[in-house]
Amino acid sequence: MDRFTKSFIRQEPIPEEAIEAATRVLRSGALHRYGADPSEVAALEVAFAAQTGAAHALAVASGGYAMGCALRALGVGSGDAVLTNAFTLAPVPGAIAAVGARPVLVEVTEDLVLDLADLEAKAGQARVLMLSHMRGHIVDMPALMAICDAHGIAVVEDCAHTMGAAWDGHPSGRWGKIGCYSCQTYKHVNAGEGGLIVTDDADLAARMILLSGSYMLYARNGTAPGEDVFARHKGLMPNVSGRMDELRAAILRPQIRDLPQQVARWNALYRALEDGFGGAPGLRTIPRPQAEAYVGSSIQLLVDDARAVPDFVAGCAARGVEWKWFGGDRPVGFTSAHRHWDYVAPHDLPRTDAILCRLIDLRVPLTFDADDCALIARIVTEEAAQHLG
Ligand SMILES: *Cc1c(COP(=O)(O)O)cnc(C)c1O
């Protein structure tokens, strides 16, 4: 029997150009963003703001930090309710809980996006939505924004899986008030750790720059609003240090520039897998709406019969194909399910639970090629015929 032997977590090397830039930073000794002149971090902020069409960008220590910073800037604090997806990764409810707020979980649909009917039903409970584009699936954004605007809900977008994606040609992260991205190794650019924030709102930008720890040097942010804006917030924002350093910005700049080419490579692999899984019995792929320009850095399937999942996943794993299952009793690796978040009040989420117990997920690293996708598809189809047919 065929076996797949490549690693699902193996990354491509960092581009040579980025290594050279990082070496220059190391030789200079100027690793702190506000000590470097010119600053790699400031240049990264200029580039990312331009790429997303945002007025302001801020580079920070992680995607989780970005979300927490966004919530603080919006004035979310102790005891406040924040709406968020019931299907997302632990850093999302974690960022909400870390500012003392209370996640209110909203059901997701079989298409893995927020259930807009449940959002509408819960809209009165909070004034902020942390919208997670989990695994790169983007909800109908005009419909979501209409609900949130009608209820005066500020939207923060968690774009950890949608950096480079868009809905109706408008970038993910640019629909709500604030967009948050992760530059962690397993997302779309690789700095080890890191985060980016974008917004058009000058006051929110100033608040987040001050929050992230700018000392008196906030004007050196690459896209800083004017002194008059900072004057409104100076002294009112607690310093919660979470800056990005020069080394990581140096590594990221060429990667951000080359993101569109990487997205095209991811999507070619994704489509090869999606086509390859098409003939497998007992499985279905997640439909991708016409308006959604996604980044296929992972692929999800729904198994028709939840009871068959463990044997099917074990059969694939024995042949080197590592599905993550969101229905397990315990979180494994990067999987995460709401009932494992013991710091969040338990929620009754029958629709989400009925989906998670059938949901499996495969990472699509760029170290794979078309032959790898064909082999994975063959193994999955054979195991499906055996366990799900
Ligand atoms: C990775 C991830 C984040 C945050 O990432 P960090 O590891 O804190 O950079 C946020 N949301 C989702 C859905 C993620 O997968």
Side-chain angles (χ1 to χ4, degrees):
M1 268 199 301
D2 290 350
R3 221 187 113 72
F4 188 70
T5 53
K6 279 196 184 174
S7 165
F8 282 82
I9 53 167
R10 173 81 189 276
Q11 303 304 317
E12 292 191 296
I14 299 300
E16 280 306 319
E17 186 187 349
I19 293 173
E20 278 165 28
T23 306
R24 276 197 299 279
V25 169
L26 289 172
R27 293 224 161 90
S28 76
L31 270 72
H32 193 282
R33 68 162 297 171
Y34 290 116
D37 187 19
S39 159
E40 289 279 346
V41 182
L44 174 68
E45 288 163 343
V46 170
F48 195 64
Q51 196 160 318
T52 52
H56 309 281
L58 173 65
V60 293
S62 72
Y65 182 89
M67 293 185 287
C69 188
L71 292 172
R72 280 199 175 89
L74 286 165
V76 174
S78 190
D80 291 342
V82 176
L83 295 157
T84 195
N85 307 47
F87 171 52
T88 184
L89 226 61
V92 180
I96 296 168
V99 300
R102 190 164 46 82
V104 174
L105 305 180
V106 180
E107 298 258 34
V108 297
T109 70
E110 288 223 330
D111 296 344
L112 305 185
V113 297
L114 208 66
D115 182 331
L116 295 182
D118 198 41
L119 176 66
E120 180 87 64
K122 291 172 176 164
Q125 296 182 35
R127 55 178 198 85
V128 174
L129 166 65
M130 175 64 75
L131 172 65
S132 185
H133 303 296
M134 178 62 169
R135 288 301 191 259
H137 296 276
I138 304 179
V139 69
D140 180 338
M141 290 304 299
L144 175 124
M145 292 309 301
I147 294 171
C148 291
D149 289 346
H151 289 88
I153 293 173
V155 178
V156 179
E157 291 179 72
D158 164 26
C159 304
H161 304 161
T162 54
M163 181 189 274
W167 181 276
D168 268 343
H170 194 61
S172 181
R174 301 285 297 122
W175 291 80
K177 276 225 168 283
I178 301 175
C180 301
Y181 306 79
S182 172
C183 308
Q184 189 238 78
T185 296
Y186 301 109
K187 311 300 162 94
H188 297 174
V189 288
N190 179 7
E193 302 282 359
L196 284 160
I197 310 176
V198 295
T199 186
D200 281 346
D201 185 307
D203 286 279
L204 288 174
R207 290 163 76 93
M208 293 191 288
I209 292 167
L210 294 167
L211 277 162
S212 70
S214 59
Y215 309 119
M216 297 327 283
L217 300 167
Y218 46 79
R220 292 195 193 169
N221 170 288
T223 58
E227 185 63 43
D228 54 322
V229 182
F230 282 103
R232 291 199 278 275
H233 306 288
K234 254 194 298 187
L236 297 174
M237 291 291 110
N239 184 123
V240 187
S241 288
R243 298 166 299 271
M244 182 178 282
D245 59 84
E246 288 289 295
L247 189 54
R248 284 186 282 172
I251 294 170
L252 285 171
R253 279 176 62 202
Q255 296 185 59
I256 291 285
R257 182 199 60 208
D258 294 342
L259 183 62
Q261 289 92 286
Q262 302 292 79
V263 170
R265 292 176 60 210
W266 257 308
N267 288 351
L269 298 173
Y270 181 94
R271 289 186 191 113
L273 288 169
E274 190 181 42
D275 287 349
F277 296 153
L283 295 172
R284 77 166 186 88
T285 54
I286 312 297
R288 311 289 328 217
Q290 193 71 46
E292 183 194 37
Y294 58 88
V295 183
S297 55
S298 68
I299 189 164
Q300 293 70 45
L301 294 176
L302 281 172
V303 181
D304 292 341
D305 179 2
R307 289 162 309 176
V309 175
D311 285 349
F312 169 71
V313 167
C316 290
R319 298 175 67 185
V321 175
E322 294 168 15
W323 290 106
K324 300 266 159 58
W325 179 37
F326 287 93
D329 294 335
R330 289 176 305 112
V332 181
F334 286 82
T335 58
S336 182
H338 68 87
R339 61 188 181 284
H340 302 141
W341 308 329
D342 291 333
Y343 52 86
V344 176
H347 282 63
D348 193 22
L349 297 157
R351 272 171 287 168
T352 299
D353 289 340
I355 292 160
L356 293 186
C357 68
R358 297 165 46 220
L359 182 65
I360 56 174
D361 169 78
L362 208 62
R363 206 183 275 287
V364 185
L366 289 175
T367 45
F368 288 5
D369 59 24
D371 289 343
D372 295 325
C373 293
L375 177 54
I376 292 168
R378 191 156 67 241
I379 290 171
V380 167
T381 304
E382 287 170 10
E383 293 300 316
Q386 166 131 20
H387 298 287
L388 312 174

mmCIF file of all heavy atoms in Angstrom, residues 61-65 67 88-89 91-92 132-135 158-161 181-184 187 193-195, ligand 1:
data_model
loop_
_atom_site.group_PDB
_atom_site.id
_atom_site.type_symbol
_atom_site.label_atom_id
_atom_site.label_comp_id
_atom_site.label_asym_id
_atom_site.label_seq_id
_atom_site.Cartn_x
_atom_site.Cartn_y
_atom_site.Cartn_z
ATOM 1 N N ALA A 61 3.710 41.637 18.489
ATOM 2 C CA ALA A 61 4.443 40.428 18.869
ATOM 3 C C ALA A 61 3.783 39.128 18.417
ATOM 4 O O ALA A 61 4.473 38.124 18.247
ATOM 5 C CB ALA A 61 4.629 40.408 20.383
ATOM 6 N N SER A 62 2.467 39.123 18.239
ATOM 7 C CA SER A 62 1.778 37.887 17.823
ATOM 8 C C SER A 62 0.376 38.231 17.329
ATOM 9 O O SER A 62 -0.114 39.351 17.554
ATOM 10 C CB SER A 62 1.674 36.899 18.993
ATOM 11 O OG SER A 62 0.726 37.356 19.944
ATOM 12 N N GLY A 63 -0.266 37.245 16.704
ATOM 13 C CA GLY A 63 -1.659 37.431 16.305
ATOM 14 C C GLY A 63 -2.561 37.569 17.520
ATOM 15 O O GLY A 63 -3.497 38.364 17.531
ATOM 16 N N GLY A 64 -2.272 36.798 18.543
ATOM 17 C CA GLY A 64 -3.056 36.885 19.780
ATOM 18 C C GLY A 64 -2.920 38.261 20.418
ATOM 19 O O GLY A 64 -3.906 38.844 20.888
ATOM 20 N N TYR A 65 -1.694 38.798 20.399
ATOM 21 C CA TYR A 65 -1.495 40.145 20.945
ATOM 22 C C TYR A 65 -2.301 41.166 20.125
ATOM 23 O O TYR A 65 -2.920 42.074 20.675
ATOM 24 C CB TYR A 65 -0.006 40.539 20.950
ATOM 25 C CG TYR A 65 0.177 41.901 21.565
ATOM 26 C CD1 TYR A 65 0.370 42.045 22.937
ATOM 27 C CD2 TYR A 65 0.056 43.061 20.799
ATOM 28 C CE1 TYR A 65 0.457 43.293 23.523
ATOM 29 C CE2 TYR A 65 0.138 44.315 21.376
ATOM 30 C CZ TYR A 65 0.348 44.426 22.734
ATOM 31 O OH TYR A 65 0.413 45.661 23.309
ATOM 32 N N MET A 67 -5.100 40.804 18.560
ATOM 33 C CA MET A 67 -6.522 40.765 18.903
ATOM 34 C C MET A 67 -6.784 41.417 20.255
ATOM 35 O O MET A 67 -7.753 42.171 20.420
ATOM 36 C CB MET A 67 -7.023 39.310 18.898
ATOM 37 C CG MET A 67 -7.016 38.696 17.512
ATOM 38 S SD MET A 67 -7.751 37.042 17.484
ATOM 39 C CE MET A 67 -6.465 36.098 18.277
ATOM 40 N N THR A 88 -13.310 28.127 16.296
ATOM 41 C CA THR A 88 -12.098 28.879 16.015
ATOM 42 C C THR A 88 -10.991 28.272 16.856
ATOM 43 O O THR A 88 -11.191 27.236 17.498
ATOM 44 C CB THR A 88 -12.275 30.393 16.284
ATOM 45 O OG1 THR A 88 -11.079 31.070 15.895
ATOM 46 C CG2 THR A 88 -12.555 30.681 17.753
ATOM 47 N N LEU A 89 -9.825 28.912 16.838
ATOM 48 C CA LEU A 89 -8.714 28.372 17.604
ATOM 49 C C LEU A 89 -8.608 29.081 18.956
ATOM 50 O O LEU A 89 -9.044 30.219 19.097
ATOM 51 C CB LEU A 89 -7.432 28.544 16.788
ATOM 52 C CG LEU A 89 -6.536 27.303 16.733
ATOM 53 C CD1 LEU A 89 -7.223 26.113 16.093
ATOM 54 C CD2 LEU A 89 -5.256 27.621 15.980
ATOM 55 N N PRO A 91 -6.494 30.861 20.585
ATOM 56 C CA PRO A 91 -6.046 32.247 20.818
ATOM 57 C C PRO A 91 -7.178 33.274 20.722
ATOM 58 O O PRO A 91 -7.032 34.380 21.251
ATOM 59 C CB PRO A 91 -5.002 32.504 19.716
ATOM 60 C CG PRO A 91 -4.947 31.299 18.876
ATOM 61 C CD PRO A 91 -5.711 30.201 19.528
ATOM 62 N N VAL A 92 -8.282 32.917 20.081
ATOM 63 C CA VAL A 92 -9.367 33.889 19.892
ATOM 64 C C VAL A 92 -10.167 34.069 21.192
ATOM 65 O O VAL A 92 -10.201 35.185 21.734
ATOM 66 C CB VAL A 92 -10.245 33.501 18.683
ATOM 67 C CG1 VAL A 92 -11.365 34.502 18.502
ATOM 68 C CG2 VAL A 92 -9.386 33.404 17.422
ATOM 69 N N SER A 132 -13.822 35.477 13.474
ATOM 70 C CA SER A 132 -12.679 34.641 13.102
ATOM 71 C C SER A 132 -12.936 33.984 11.743
ATOM 72 O O SER A 132 -13.882 33.225 11.591
ATOM 73 C CB SER A 132 -12.455 33.571 14.169
ATOM 74 O OG SER A 132 -11.295 32.835 13.862
ATOM 75 N N HIS A 133 -12.072 34.297 10.777
ATOM 76 C CA HIS A 133 -12.185 33.653 9.462
ATOM 77 C C HIS A 133 -11.475 32.303 9.563
ATOM 78 O O HIS A 133 -10.460 32.053 8.896
ATOM 79 C CB HIS A 133 -11.560 34.530 8.382
ATOM 80 C CG HIS A 133 -12.143 35.904 8.288
ATOM 81 N ND1 HIS A 133 -13.456 36.124 7.934
ATOM 82 C CD2 HIS A 133 -11.611 37.124 8.510
ATOM 83 C CE1 HIS A 133 -13.687 37.435 7.919
ATOM 84 N NE2 HIS A 133 -12.590 38.057 8.279
ATOM 85 N N MET A 134 -12.018 31.462 10.422
ATOM 86 C CA MET A 134 -11.352 30.213 10.785
ATOM 87 C C MET A 134 -11.116 29.333 9.557
ATOM 88 O O MET A 134 -12.014 29.116 8.745
ATOM 89 C CB MET A 134 -12.230 29.492 11.814
ATOM 90 C CG MET A 134 -11.714 28.148 12.260
ATOM 91 S SD MET A 134 -10.100 28.234 13.095
ATOM 92 C CE MET A 134 -10.016 26.570 13.743
ATOM 93 N N ARG A 135 -9.880 28.845 9.443
ATOM 94 C CA ARG A 135 -9.437 27.997 8.338
ATOM 95 C C ARG A 135 -9.709 28.641 6.968
ATOM 96 O O ARG A 135 -9.883 27.962 5.961
ATOM 97 C CB ARG A 135 -10.091 26.615 8.405
ATOM 98 C CG ARG A 135 -9.550 25.744 9.531
ATOM 99 C CD ARG A 135 -8.054 25.523 9.377
ATOM 100 N NE ARG A 135 -7.533 24.500 10.271
ATOM 101 C CZ ARG A 135 -6.885 24.720 11.404
ATOM 102 N NH1 ARG A 135 -6.653 25.967 11.833
ATOM 103 N NH2 ARG A 135 -6.424 23.722 12.126
ATOM 104 N N ASP A 158 -10.347 38.512 12.752
ATOM 105 C CA ASP A 158 -9.194 37.636 12.986
ATOM 106 C C ASP A 158 -8.828 36.997 11.654
ATOM 107 O O ASP A 158 -9.494 36.074 11.187
ATOM 108 C CB ASP A 158 -9.563 36.568 14.023
ATOM 109 C CG ASP A 158 -8.574 35.400 14.018
ATOM 110 O OD1 ASP A 158 -7.415 35.603 13.635
ATOM 111 O OD2 ASP A 158 -8.984 34.283 14.396
ATOM 112 N N CYS A 159 -7.768 37.501 11.043
ATOM 113 C CA CYS A 159 -7.377 37.075 9.696
ATOM 114 C C CYS A 159 -6.153 36.164 9.722
ATOM 115 O O CYS A 159 -5.358 36.156 8.769
ATOM 116 C CB CYS A 159 -7.095 38.296 8.830
ATOM 117 S SG CYS A 159 -8.474 39.433 8.741
ATOM 118 N N ALA A 160 -6.011 35.392 10.792
ATOM 119 C CA ALA A 160 -4.852 34.498 10.889
ATOM 120 C C ALA A 160 -4.786 33.549 9.686
ATOM 121 O O ALA A 160 -3.702 33.172 9.256
ATOM 122 C CB ALA A 160 -4.907 33.697 12.189
ATOM 123 N N HIS A 161 -5.952 33.186 9.128
ATOM 124 C CA HIS A 161 -5.979 32.259 7.983
ATOM 125 C C HIS A 161 -6.432 32.946 6.697
ATOM 126 O O HIS A 161 -6.714 32.262 5.713
ATOM 127 C CB HIS A 161 -6.913 31.075 8.285
ATOM 128 C CG HIS A 161 -6.558 30.334 9.535
ATOM 129 N ND1 HIS A 161 -7.427 29.515 10.197
ATOM 130 C CD2 HIS A 161 -5.411 30.302 10.250
ATOM 131 C CE1 HIS A 161 -6.844 29.003 11.273
ATOM 132 N NE2 HIS A 161 -5.628 29.483 11.330
ATOM 133 N N TYR A 181 -3.783 40.051 12.017
ATOM 134 C CA TYR A 181 -3.134 38.972 11.260
ATOM 135 C C TYR A 181 -2.044 38.350 12.117
ATOM 136 O O TYR A 181 -1.488 39.013 12.996
ATOM 137 C CB TYR A 181 -2.493 39.528 9.979
ATOM 138 C CG TYR A 181 -3.442 40.309 9.096
ATOM 139 C CD1 TYR A 181 -3.770 41.632 9.398
ATOM 140 C CD2 TYR A 181 -3.997 39.736 7.949
ATOM 141 C CE1 TYR A 181 -4.637 42.355 8.590
ATOM 142 C CE2 TYR A 181 -4.857 40.466 7.132
ATOM 143 C CZ TYR A 181 -5.178 41.769 7.461
ATOM 144 O OH TYR A 181 -6.029 42.483 6.654
ATOM 145 N N SER A 182 -1.721 37.101 11.818
ATOM 146 C CA SER A 182 -0.643 36.406 12.525
ATOM 147 C C SER A 182 0.513 36.153 11.559
ATOM 148 O O SER A 182 0.290 35.804 10.395
ATOM 149 C CB SER A 182 -1.151 35.081 13.074
ATOM 150 O OG SER A 182 -0.079 34.321 13.604
ATOM 151 N N CYS A 183 1.735 36.316 12.039
ATOM 152 C CA CYS A 183 2.933 36.026 11.239
ATOM 153 C C CYS A 183 3.669 34.825 11.827
ATOM 154 O O CYS A 183 4.863 34.649 11.632
ATOM 155 C CB CYS A 183 3.860 37.233 11.203
ATOM 156 S SG CYS A 183 3.045 38.762 10.716
ATOM 157 N N GLN A 184 2.926 34.019 12.569
ATOM 158 C CA GLN A 184 3.448 32.819 13.193
ATOM 159 C C GLN A 184 3.769 31.782 12.114
ATOM 160 O O GLN A 184 3.157 31.771 11.045
ATOM 161 C CB GLN A 184 2.348 32.339 14.163
ATOM 162 C CG GLN A 184 2.712 31.243 15.083
ATOM 163 C CD GLN A 184 1.758 30.102 14.848
ATOM 164 O OE1 GLN A 184 1.917 29.370 13.868
ATOM 165 N NE2 GLN A 184 0.762 29.965 15.700
ATOM 166 N N LYS A 187 1.205 30.165 9.622
ATOM 167 C CA LYS A 187 0.211 30.982 8.922
ATOM 168 C C LYS A 187 0.769 31.323 7.527
ATOM 169 O O LYS A 187 1.476 30.499 6.972
ATOM 170 C CB LYS A 187 -0.126 32.202 9.756
ATOM 171 C CG LYS A 187 -0.445 31.875 11.230
ATOM 172 C CD LYS A 187 -1.637 30.926 11.386
ATOM 173 C CE LYS A 187 -1.672 30.283 12.762
ATOM 174 N NZ LYS A 187 -2.474 30.950 13.730
ATOM 175 N N GLU A 193 7.124 34.111 15.295
ATOM 176 C CA GLU A 193 5.967 34.721 15.952
ATOM 177 C C GLU A 193 5.827 36.124 15.384
ATOM 178 O O GLU A 193 6.794 36.704 14.911
ATOM 179 C CB GLU A 193 6.166 34.823 17.468
ATOM 180 C CG GLU A 193 6.430 33.524 18.190
ATOM 181 C CD GLU A 193 5.185 32.690 18.425
ATOM 182 O OE1 GLU A 193 4.069 33.128 18.034
ATOM 183 O OE2 GLU A 193 5.327 31.595 18.987
ATOM 184 N N GLY A 194 4.650 36.684 15.485
ATOM 185 C CA GLY A 194 4.464 38.065 15.038
ATOM 186 C C GLY A 194 3.020 38.323 14.680
ATOM 187 O O GLY A 194 2.246 37.375 14.464
ATOM 188 N N GLY A 195 2.645 39.593 14.657
ATOM 189 C CA GLY A 195 1.283 39.955 14.293
ATOM 190 C C GLY A 195 1.257 41.297 13.593
ATOM 191 O O GLY A 195 2.194 42.090 13.706
HETATM 192 C C1 LIG B 1 -2.908 31.199 14.921
HETATM 193 C C2 LIG B 1 -4.219 31.813 15.112
HETATM 194 C C3 LIG B 1 -4.382 33.050 15.760
HETATM 195 C C4 LIG B 1 -3.320 33.827 16.467
HETATM 196 O O1 LIG B 1 -2.088 33.518 16.248
HETATM 197 P P1 LIG B 1 -0.773 33.659 17.140
HETATM 198 O O2 LIG B 1 -0.273 32.276 17.284
HETATM 199 O O3 LIG B 1 -1.114 34.322 18.447
HETATM 200 O O4 LIG B 1 0.075 34.534 16.281
HETATM 201 C C5 LIG B 1 -5.641 33.590 15.791
HETATM 202 N N1 LIG B 1 -6.697 32.972 15.246
HETATM 203 C C6 LIG B 1 -6.591 31.789 14.637
HETATM 204 C C7 LIG B 1 -7.815 31.173 14.041
HETATM 205 C C8 LIG B 1 -5.358 31.166 14.557
HETATM 206 O O5 LIG B 1 -5.260 29.968 13.963
#
